[in-house]
Amino acid sequence: MTSSDRNGSVALVTGGTGGIGMETARGLARDGASVIVAGLDPERGARAAQDLRNSAGHDRVHAVPADVTRLDGMRRLAAEVAGRYDRLDVLVNNVGVNPPERQVTADGVEKMFAAHVLAPFTLTHLLLPLLQRAPAARVVNLTGGIPGGPIDTGDLQGERRYLGWTFSHYNHTKTMTMAMTCRLAEALRGSSGVTANVVYPGHGHTPMNRVTPIRAFPILYRPVAPLVLKVVAPLFLSDLTRSARSSVYAATSAELDGVSGVYVDDRCRRKPMPASALDPGAQEAVWELCARLAGGLSG
Ligand SMILES: NC(=O)c1ccc[n+]([C@@H]2O[C@H](COP(=O)([O-])OP(=O)(O)OC[C@H]3O[C@@H](n4cnc5c(N)ncnc54)[C@H](OP(=O)(O)O)[C@@H]3O)[C@@H](O)[C@H]2O)c1
């Protein structure tokens, strides 16, 4: 699809009012798409939308405040998108969170599972009628950390293990994002014309990383963590355009026309999905939990 073809296309980027998501939105808007960015804070959202409109050179960028870790937030967001547009070409499920201690949302769901796994599942299902109206819609889900470790089907919401020597629930949920996306790609295959893939963004010095407390680092790294956060990251990781490259690529590149269920790394190269994400038992456990928590949305 060329840039001029995309003038009619519509994209939603969750967490598109800051960090990597905002640079992803910038790339899509500059490419001609109408873009909705969702974030928590209405004022930050309004400022981000103005900034994105300025750099895109058109006024088709809007911010919608919505907490995508909450079911009612996602329902309101989906209704807002449907109220504005009759189709959705790109859904980038970008929101990521990394609380140092286990948190549960008001819906009773562990927060990282809610943001990284349940939100992409639920938003895709809520927005499926709009996605199906686009000629070839794409869902892009973000992984992160060090994904690829085992999926503990007995502890999907990190009740037993949250932070640890070699294990972190952040990585665990990002592996689950991959497993859920594989299963989603399978569910969408055939009739819908919608594809779903996972990308690894480049590392970036973003709001999430700036407030990472030292105790969220594995013990071995803690002595050097302050240096990394205060000196190394701002020096080397401030160019978020690079961090957003893989999301923009997965959302727009002709190389991924009709391609679904694949993993794209931070240099936009296709890489094998980790074995744990391909495990049918793990995929089913993650899918079933999402379907139950989302109130039977999987159809
Ligand atoms: N940064 C990295 O180095 C890195 C590396 C690998 C993977 N990743 C992944 O890349 C993605 C983006 O990361 P990032 O570092 O750019 O994150 P970030 O800096 O925390 O993203 C900030 C954006 O997310 C929004 N947001 C936060 N919680 C939200 C919620 N519950 N509902 C809706 N919007 C919410 C913020 O809105 P407000 O400003 O209104 O709060 C803002 O728009 C995540 O999935 C992350 O796991 C990041």
Side-chain angles (χ1 to χ4, degrees), residues 17-18 20 40-41 44 66-68 94 170 174 204 206-209:
T17 61
I20 294 167
L40 288 177
D41 183 79
R44 273 199 294 277
D67 182 348
V68 303
N94 164 83
Y170 179 83
K174 290 295 192 178
T206 62
M208 181 168 83
N209 287 346

Side-chain angles (χ1 to χ4, degrees), residues 100-121:
E101 265 128 37
R102 190 174 184 277
Q103 288 180 16
V104 173
T105 70
D107 296 326
V109 182
E110 188 281 318
K111 199 163 181 183
M112 286 200 270
F113 186 89
H116 305 159
V117 194
L118 184 59
F121 172 95

Side-chain angles (χ1 to χ4, degrees), residues 152-164:
D152 183 349
T153 55
D155 193 27
L156 296 179
Q157 297 191 66
E159 280 163 299
R160 287 203 299 271
R161 287 202 302 171
Y162 194 74
L163 287 179

